[in-house]
Amino acid sequence: MLNNLTDTEEGDGGAQSQGDSNPKESSPFINSSDAATEKSQQYDGKNMALFEEEMDTSPMVSSLLSSLANYSNLPQGSKEHEEAENNEAESSRKKPVKAPQLGTLMGVYLPCIQNIFGVILFLRMTWLVGIGGVIGTFIIVFMCCATTMLTAISMSAIATNGVVPAGGSYYMISRSLGPEFGGAVGICFYLGTTFAGAMYILGAIELLLIYIAPKAAIFPLEGLEGAEAEAALLNNMRVYGTILLTSMATVVFVGVKYVNKLALVFLACVILSILAVYAGVIKTAVDPPVFPVCVLGNRTLVWKTFDVCAKTVETANGTVTTQLWRMFCDSGLLNATCDKYFAANNVTEIQGIPGVTSGILAENLFGNYYEKGDLIARNNMESVEDPDDPLTSANRYVLADITSFFTLLVGIYFPSVTGIMAGSNRSGDLRDAQKSIPIGTIAAITTTSTVYMSSVFLFGACIEGVVLRDKFGEGVHGNLVIGTLAWPSPWVIVIGSFFSTCGAGLQSLTGAPRLMQAIAKDGLVPALRIFGHGKANGEPTWSLLLTACICESGILIASLDAVAPILSMFFLMCYMFVNLACALQTLLRTPNWRPRFKFYHWTLSFLGMSLCLTLMFLCSWYYAIVAMVIAGSIYKYIEFAGAEKEWGDGIRGLSLSAARYALMRLEEGPPHTKNWRPQLLVLVSTDAEQNVEQPRLLSLTNQLKAGKGLTIVGTALEGSFLANYEQTQRAEQALRKLMETEKVKGFCQATVSSNLRDATSHLLQASGLGGLKHNAVLVSWPRNWKQGDEHQTWRNFVELVRETTAAHLALLVPKNIAAFPSNGERFTEGHIDVWWIVHDGGMLMLLPFLLRQHKVWRKCKMRIFTVAQMDDNSIQMKKDLTTFLYHLRIDAMVEVVEMHDSDISAYTYEKTLVMEQRSQMLKQINLTKTEREREIQSITDSSRGSIRRKNPAAVTTQLSVTEDPPAASKEEKPEEESKSASSPVSPPDQVQLIHDNTTPTSPATPATPLTPGEGAQSPGEQVQMTWTEKCDGEPAKPPGAATPEGIKDIFNMKPEWENLNQSNVRRMHTALRLNEVIIKKSSEAKLVLLNMPGPPRNRTGDENYMEFLEVLTDGLNRVLLVRGGGREVITIYS
């Protein structure tokens, strides 16, 4: 059932390369075998009829177990390429897939041994012991081995937590830490493997040019000193390294099967070389080999051009000078002029390998660090030298080629412990990966660590210090230092290490392109997608080309000691994230975290992670910073431009835990006024194709939020959830796409209910979670609400206003939303005008400030207008408001508008009459037969009442259903008046309004499907403005209770004005007066913010409420009606 897991994860291009869109990815059983499918299709429908309809998504347990029993998994690596090449001719015939048969020894242990033992052991280990001392080198080795052991424990836990396809560490990290970390670390691991190939090639060339065939050098070294000799050596490395790299890349390109067949030979070379060293150590205890070192004073001489370590020799003809004499003197005569140091000091021949029983260990315990160009001197020998005498004949002595220090040694040594992922990379070949990977990897690390630690002591105990510090063996006839210790011959080590380094280089050039191909096929980094392509058999041609180019950059560095710290960085970063992945999964206690390997703990993983980080900065702090910058850049690039994946990774789990913790903290209490910010629920409508009808609402959201705080974009759909599920998904996709376009960060939600009002009500109630809920609702003004077929739209809108009031939510209603600016527009001048009529918690002050943070509104100035009534001191009001704004730290111009009481104009009566007549007509149109008869009777009664009204004794008309008690307070009057509303109306869903040609309509605005519910604010609520109280401060008067002048006006009115609801007349009067003042002051403003009055407490007269708001905002281009949520949102305190 899992036999194609690798192909699914690594991807085959196209749709399957998208991990989040591939249904196989999210399924716990990623691919079903044909047999399992056939078995599930052979269902007979008798015994399990209850589950019949779900059989395709929930297979029978028997078929599941059958497919698991037949599980097989081929690796995404070299094996299938080799088989593809061998079987090209037989591709038409289908062969049964063989189950992998490799066990722990061949599948994990030996590959890890081969990858861990490498060039550093043979070329640099003796030098490390000589420079760092036995103690210092042992500390380095112990730290590095402990790091890899802890990493192996973490890796074993991850590898045994389910099936790990080929892909090794990249797969484990990406699926444990997410695509961003996975991509970043995968590329770091790729770069580390690639630079490892460069290091192995440089090691092979060093063996070739220094120890095997020195005369093959294109740039000869003879006669060159200092920088010239060093440059010639590096140029030779570059030329031969490039040639060898080209050859290796060609071999890999032509056929990787040859690399696989030679792997066993390379492994045998490594094991034989190490055994030869141990045999040589044992032999030194019995019969130390003869490897003399010539020392002048205490300086080690380069033993190349002389044969005898002596100044003169006695022969039958007398004393004769030697070749050594002629190196330091101007002639071969005994009276020749010689180098002062040569003349003053004796020449001594010491044994290079005194043997394990010689006690030389005590001399090698402590380190000897050198500056570049220092002489390699023996510590316990006397030397006669003149401090003022300049060093001459420098090329005759063994010199330090680089400046050495402890952290440099760490960087050079660490690559020798890498390679622990070899077993997990072959997981597809293993018979039982979950058993073999932990045992094989830990056993291999134990073996190699034992070899390394023992070799530190054995080298220190067997080899003379000056020989250990002689990196290239110049003092021992140009032999490889570790070779001098080997038995039976140094050539065993030289030839063995040459082939092993070549083999390791080939393995790197084979593995690195496949790793890059896996990353490219995962689709994480769009720029790398080309490297996912290859030959017809899957061979990663483009990735191989990229790998060869990067490898060439390492070869051009030409110094093994300079390349080693680079790849140390990348491997350490990879190991650090393996440890992080294990620690994170353990601490989060993810339900899916059930490793078979039980010997792990988060503290061990954390210690391993800390060691990796420490070693990174110990190796090279600047390389560490560069590696982190590279990884960080890749992380951010994948985050912004890469494909989104859902792999069930630990970072998502960490985000979930952090979110849960933060939400629990938010539950402790409401936010302080200083922390209050609008958390918006944006209600939009979609058309039949689920496209958003008011995109500018999202633009306004972006300008208001600037990406901060919570934003939920919701839409309501009508119907049943089961029937409209796909429609819901499309709607959410459209919302998400528009949010990305408008750069609104937040969440989207589509709710389905039997009617739009309920769906919107559900959104209002259920959106958000815990303390992270919306506190403000943004919805556009319903377009064309006066049209006959839009009667339900405005009713829903009015109900929404009531619901937000009941829920103590702020409400923002932009009118003419299509005229609002997009995010790309810029206002170079203009004003944002705030008409502060009633105090609603400070929302009117806060919103312009937030808008002006956005670049669209940044250059607009803020003006605040407030209305003074007859008894107010307008001068003092302006002074107080200026002081208030100063304390609020808000920069705005202040103006107090005086609105004195005036007579109600005839135009007001006419507007009110037309409004009420429209309401009556609509009621007649929408009533049923029975209701129509009842309504006719009601109208008849109303007519009789209006006739009786001319008699002062008759006061109980339809216009005055309830009279105010004489002692009624001012606070009670609004509620009383709202009950004395206009004539009764039909149920809310039956009423429509017809367009009034006498009323100028606002520009067409996008529609808003709104779904209010029941609910009204309590009379004691502090923030509630209704049209039952005049905005100019005059208390609302009950119909019939008026001044003598008012009574006179009523009896002088036209007959059709007599039946008008006086409450509606006063509201229309206020709306017209306010509109006149606003038009006069703010007609040129870029945006007008205005207090939004609340609807009537009872539901009679809702259509009149919409008319009042229309009159109030008539003639204004952009209006934002604002209604507070019942709490203070702005404060003067710090």
Side-chain angles (χ1 to χ4, degrees):
M1 189 164 194
L2 293 154
N3 58 345
N4 288 326
L5 180 61
T6 300
D7 296 333
T8 303
E9 293 297 347
E10 305 297 354
D12 295 322
Q16 287 196 1
S17 65
Q18 304 301 321
D20 53 348
S21 62
N22 188 353
K24 299 178 182 178
E25 180 85 26
S26 58
S27 171
F29 303 104
I30 297 179
N31 201 354
S32 299
S33 65
D34 295 337
T37 308
E38 289 171 7
K39 182 161 185 178
S40 65
Q41 289 172 353
Q42 289 171 359
Y43 169 71
D44 58 9
K46 295 177 183 176
N47 300 322
M48 290 290 172
L50 193 60
F51 302 96
E52 182 177 4
E53 293 183 356
E54 297 178 339
M55 199 58 69
D56 54 341
T57 57
S58 303
M60 295 289 294
V61 173
S62 57
S63 65
L64 176 66
L65 294 177
S66 170
S67 58
L68 283 177
N70 296 324
Y71 155 69
S72 66
N73 186 9
L74 285 177
Q76 171 74 20
S78 56
K79 185 173 179 180
E80 74 270 34
H81 299 309
E82 178 185 339
E83 290 176 353
E85 289 177 2
N86 290 336
N87 299 332
E88 280 175 0
E90 304 174 15
S91 57
S92 58
R93 263 193 308 137
K94 228 180 169 183
K95 286 191 174 182
V97 178
K98 292 182 180 179
Q101 294 297 325
L102 289 181
T104 303
L105 181 68
M106 294 299 295
V108 181
Y109 180 76
L110 291 179
C112 283
I113 291 283
Q114 181 184 358
N115 279 266
I116 294 172
F117 286 135
V119 63
I120 300 296
L121 173 64
F122 301 120
L123 291 181
R124 293 291 182 270
M125 196 67 186
T126 53
W127 178 76
L128 289 170
V129 175
I131 297 293
V134 171
I135 295 175
T137 310
F138 183 81
I139 291 171
I140 294 172
V141 171
F142 181 79
M143 283 174 60
C144 294
C145 291
T147 302
T148 54
M149 179 61 80
L150 292 171
T151 304
I153 291 171
S154 299
M155 187 194 72
S156 299
I158 297 172
T160 59
N161 187 51
V163 177
V164 177
S169 58
Y170 161 68
Y171 180 90
M172 289 189 292
I173 294 169
S174 62
R175 270 55 176 181
S176 297
L177 290 179
E180 294 88 1
F181 275 115
V185 179
I187 291 174
C188 284
F189 190 48
Y190 163 76
L191 291 173
T193 308
T194 305
F195 276 104
M199 184 187 73
Y200 290 130
I201 290 171
L202 288 173
I205 299 303
E206 186 177 306
L207 284 162
L208 178 70
L209 292 181
I210 295 179
Y211 305 113
I212 298 176
K215 293 184 179 179
I218 297 174
F219 301 92
L221 301 176
E222 284 79 9
L224 300 179
E225 293 187 18
E228 292 180 351
E230 183 180 357
L233 176 63
L234 295 181
N235 287 331
N236 282 321
M237 302 281 280
R238 292 184 181 108
V239 172
Y240 277 100
T242 304
I243 294 171
L244 185 57
L245 171 64
T246 307
S247 305
M248 286 183 173
T250 305
V251 169
V252 173
F253 177 77
V254 169
V256 76
K257 59 183 177 182
Y258 303 114
V259 179
N260 290 333
K261 288 176 179 176
L262 288 172
L264 202 60
V265 177
F266 298 144
L267 175 62
C269 290
V270 173
I271 294 174
L272 285 174
S273 300
I274 292 170
L275 291 176
V277 172
Y278 276 100
V281 169
I282 296 170
K283 185 177 180 294
T284 61
V286 182
D287 180 20
V290 179
F291 273 100
V293 179
C294 195
V295 179
L296 176 62
N298 65 351
R299 299 175 182 176
T300 311
L301 295 173
V302 176
W303 200 322
K304 272 188 182 177
T305 55
F306 62 91
D307 51 357
V308 180
C309 182
K311 294 181 180 180
T312 59
V313 291
E314 298 294 332
T315 64
N317 298 327
T319 303
V320 180
T321 57
T322 62
Q323 292 176 336
L324 183 62
W325 177 281
R326 288 189 284 276
M327 286 168 59
F328 287 92
C329 301
D330 56 2
S331 72
L333 301 176
L334 290 173
N335 59 355
T337 304
C338 296
D339 179 82
K340 290 183 180 180
Y341 185 82
F342 178 77
N345 290 276
N346 295 323
V347 175
T348 312
E349 184 178 286
I350 61 173
Q351 184 64 344
I353 302 179
V356 74
T357 58
S358 63
I360 198 74
L361 179 64
E363 296 181 15
N364 293 331
L365 280 178
F366 302 103
N368 297 272
Y369 296 100
Y370 294 104
E371 294 288 329
K372 183 176 180 178
D374 284 356
L375 295 161
I376 304 297
R378 195 160 187 257
N379 295 332
N380 56 355
M381 291 186 70
E382 294 184 0
S383 172
V384 179
E385 58 184 302
D386 185 358
D388 299 328
D389 189 23
L391 178 65
T392 56
S393 304
N395 60 332
R396 310 285 186 260
Y397 302 110
V398 178
L399 304 176
D401 66 322
I402 58 171
T403 301
S404 53
F405 40 90
F406 181 79
T407 56
L408 174 76
L409 304 187
V410 177
I412 292 174
Y413 173 74
F414 188 80
S416 66
V417 296
T418 59
I420 63 173
M421 301 290 184
S424 62
N425 289 347
R426 293 166 178 255
S427 59
D429 296 323
L430 301 175
R431 190 184 307 117
D432 186 356
Q434 297 194 1
K435 176 184 175 185
S436 297
I437 289 176
I439 296 174
T441 306
I442 292 174
I445 292 174
T446 305
T447 305
T448 54
S449 300
T450 304
V451 170
Y452 282 133
M453 291 180 190
S454 62
S455 65
V456 170
F457 284 101
L458 293 176
F459 292 163
C462 294
I463 305 175
E464 173 62 47
V466 289
V467 179
L468 287 173
R469 293 187 285 278
D470 183 0
K471 183 185 288 186
F472 301 111
E474 295 172 305
V476 284
H477 302 279
N479 280 301
L480 182 63
V481 175
I482 194 173
T484 61
L485 189 60
W487 179 87
S489 167
W491 286 102
V492 175
I493 292 285
V494 173
I495 301 299
S497 57
F498 177 76
F499 280 115
S500 69
T501 48
C502 287
L506 277 172
Q507 294 285 355
S508 296
L509 289 178
T510 304
R514 281 161 181 76
L515 181 59
M516 173 52 68
Q517 188 181 41
I519 296 169
K521 282 191 172 182
D522 257 347
L524 297 181
V525 184
L528 297 178
R529 282 181 183 150
I530 186 175
F531 299 109
H533 305 298
K535 292 198 292 188
N537 63 348
E539 189 73 26
T541 311
W542 289 104
S543 296
L544 178 62
L545 186 63
L546 175 69
T547 303
C549 292
I550 297 174
C551 199
E552 176 64 21
S553 69
I555 286 170
L556 292 177
I557 296 173
S559 171
L560 183 70
D561 302 320
V563 172
I566 296 175
L567 66 104
S568 293
M569 288 302 112
F570 293 122
F571 277 121
L572 279 166
M573 183 165 288
C574 177
Y575 296 165
M576 180 175 74
F577 281 104
V578 170
N579 285 298
L580 174 63
C582 182
L584 199 62
Q585 298 277 29
T586 308
L587 288 172
L588 289 176
R589 296 186 175 89
T590 313
N592 191 50
W593 179 246
R594 303 184 299 274
R596 288 187 179 278
F597 181 77
K598 301 298 181 185
F599 305 100
Y600 70 94
H601 195 267
W602 70 267
T603 52
L604 294 177
S605 301
F606 189 78
L607 179 61
M609 186 176 67
S610 304
L611 271 173
C612 288
L613 195 61
T614 304
L615 286 173
M616 282 177 70
F617 282 92
L618 273 180
C619 292
S620 173
W621 63 268
Y622 45 90
Y623 278 159
I625 291 173
V626 169
M628 287 180 169
V629 167
I630 291 173
S633 303
I634 297 167
Y635 179 95
K636 297 306 289 184
Y637 177 73
I638 293 173
E639 188 178 44
F640 286 111
E644 291 186 4
K645 303 284 184 181
E646 178 49 70
W647 286 332
D649 49 85
I651 292 297
R652 299 289 174 94
L654 182 63
S655 302
L656 185 62
S657 294
R660 182 183 62 84
Y661 175 77
L663 283 172
M664 297 300 290
R665 290 290 303 273
L666 284 175
E667 283 287 325
E668 293 176 4
H672 191 274
T673 303
K674 289 186 289 186
N675 293 328
W676 194 95
R677 64 171 70 243
Q679 316 282 19
L680 290 181
L681 170 62
V682 185
L683 297 176
V684 298
S685 62
T686 55
D687 57 19
E689 300 299 322
Q690 274 69 56
N691 296 317
V692 178
E693 293 183 337
Q694 307 99 347
R696 287 294 167 87
L697 264 182
L698 275 296
S699 303
L700 179 61
T701 303
N702 177 275
Q703 295 156 24
L704 198 57
K705 302 286 291 179
K708 303 295 190 297
L710 172 72
T711 303
I712 303 172
V713 182
T715 187
L717 302 175
E718 191 170 6
S720 67
F721 179 72
L722 291 177
N724 293 279
Y725 177 72
E726 291 185 3
Q727 185 182 356
T728 307
Q729 296 296 102
R730 288 198 302 272
E732 288 192 354
Q733 189 65 33
L735 292 181
R736 203 173 288 114
K737 185 177 180 181
L738 183 60
M739 289 171 72
E740 289 178 5
T741 304
E742 298 293 341
K743 297 180 181 177
V744 174
K745 293 183 179 179
F747 311 98
C748 59
Q749 186 173 353
T751 303
V752 185
S753 188
S754 56
N755 59 72
L756 291 178
R757 177 185 298 179
D758 288 345
T760 308
S761 183
H762 298 334
L763 272 175
L764 201 69
Q765 298 172 57
S767 296
L769 179 65
L772 196 66
K773 291 181 72 72
H774 53 278
N775 55 26
V777 177
L778 176 64
V779 62
S780 68
W781 177 260
R783 182 181 60 177
N784 302 333
W785 65 270
K786 294 183 180 181
Q787 293 180 1
D789 57 350
E790 295 288 336
H791 70 279
Q792 192 58 43
T793 301
W794 64 261
R795 286 203 170 278
N796 291 346
F797 177 78
V798 176
E799 284 300 306
L800 177 69
V801 178
R802 288 195 173 98
E803 286 186 343
T804 55
T805 303
H808 303 290
L809 299 174
L811 180 64
L812 312 178
V813 182
K815 194 164 181 283
N816 303 343
I817 185 63
F820 276 67
S822 67
N823 290 327
E825 296 180 44
R826 302 287 182 275
F827 288 132
T828 55
E829 58 181 0
H831 296 94
I832 299 176
D833 286 359
V834 176
W835 283 84
W836 192 19
I837 300 167
V838 295
H839 180 59
D840 58 355
M843 279 285 287
L844 281 171
M845 307 292 167
L846 189 60
L847 292 176
F849 170 77
L850 294 174
L851 282 173
R852 291 182 67 228
Q853 306 303 306
H854 196 275
K855 47 196 172 185
V856 172
W857 304 93
R858 189 165 292 153
K859 294 187 178 179
C860 292
K861 290 182 168 49
M862 183 174 165
R863 296 189 301 192
I864 295 183
F865 297 90
T866 189
V867 176
Q869 291 145 15
M870 193 179 300
D871 300 332
D872 293 326
N873 183 342
S874 58
I875 297 174
Q876 187 62 38
M877 277 181 68
K878 183 172 182 179
K879 192 180 295 182
D880 293 342
L881 182 55
T882 305
T883 306
F884 179 58
L885 290 176
Y886 173 78
H887 288 305
L888 286 176
R889 291 92 61 203
I890 290 177
D891 185 21
M893 292 179 284
V894 175
E895 186 170 342
V896 177
V897 179
E898 295 183 355
M899 283 185 62
H900 299 299
D901 195 18
S902 62
D903 293 336
I904 298 174
S905 65
Y907 178 64
T908 303
Y909 282 109
E910 287 294 340
K911 292 272 303 177
T912 311
L913 177 64
V914 171
M915 178 181 72
E916 292 196 356
Q917 285 177 345
R918 183 188 302 113
S919 298
Q920 293 290 335
M921 288 173 61
L922 287 176
K923 278 182 281 185
Q924 289 298 319
I925 291 170
N926 290 290
L927 291 179
T928 63
K929 182 179 179 182
T930 309
E931 290 171 331
R932 191 177 295 119
E933 292 173 355
R934 190 182 303 125
E935 185 66 17
I936 290 170
Q937 182 63 37
S938 172
I939 293 173
T940 306
D941 295 341
S942 293
S943 301
R944 291 171 183 163
S946 64
I947 294 171
R948 287 197 302 271
R949 180 179 174 151
K950 295 187 178 181
N951 183 0
V955 293
T956 55
T957 68
Q958 66 160 2
L959 300 176
S960 182
V961 180
T962 307
E963 286 192 17
D964 287 338
S969 64
K970 182 178 178 180
E971 287 75 9
E972 292 171 332
K973 286 178 183 176
E975 186 175 0
E976 297 289 338
E977 280 190 341
S978 66
K979 293 178 182 177
S980 61
S982 61
S983 56
V985 298
S986 62
D989 58 347
Q990 295 293 326
V991 178
Q992 294 180 327
L993 290 181
I994 296 175
H995 193 283
D996 178 11
N997 291 326
T998 65
T999 306
T1001 57
S1002 60
T1005 56
T1008 310
L1010 296 167
T1011 336
E1014 301 297 317
Q1017 189 155 346
S1018 61
E1021 187 61 39
Q1022 293 300 315
V1023 180
Q1024 174 69 34
M1025 177 181 177
T1026 67
W1027 284 101
T1028 56
E1029 183 172 346
K1030 291 178 66 176
C1031 293
D1032 59 1
E1034 182 182 340
K1037 299 175 184 178
T1043 59
E1045 291 80 10
I1047 295 172
K1048 181 182 177 182
D1049 285 341
I1050 290 175
F1051 286 104
N1052 289 334
M1053 290 190 296
K1054 295 180 181 179
E1056 60 266 28
W1057 294 355
E1058 297 174 4
N1059 291 341
L1060 292 179
N1061 185 327
Q1062 292 304 302
S1063 174
N1064 287 342
V1065 173
R1066 289 197 308 277
R1067 295 175 193 172
M1068 185 65 75
H1069 175 66
T1070 306
L1072 284 168
R1073 287 292 312 280
L1074 267 176
N1075 179 255
E1076 288 172 9
V1077 175
I1078 295 172
I1079 290 290
K1080 179 181 177 182
K1081 298 285 186 180
S1082 301
S1083 58
E1084 300 298 322
K1086 300 298 183 185
L1087 178 65
V1088 175
L1089 284 87
L1090 182 64
N1091 282 117
M1092 180 180 181
R1097 294 282 178 84
N1098 54 10
R1099 285 171 174 74
T1100 55
D1102 281 357
E1103 65 279 8
N1104 299 338
Y1105 169 70
M1106 295 294 292
E1107 186 70 42
F1108 294 141
L1109 293 181
E1110 193 73 65
V1111 171
L1112 179 64
T1113 57
D1114 186 27
L1116 296 173
N1117 187 22
R1118 299 185 193 93
V1119 184
L1120 184 60
L1121 296 170
V1122 180
R1123 188 161 171 73
R1127 62 160 294 164
E1128 293 292 333
V1129 301
I1130 197 165
T1131 178
I1132 64 173
Y1133 300 105
S1134 62

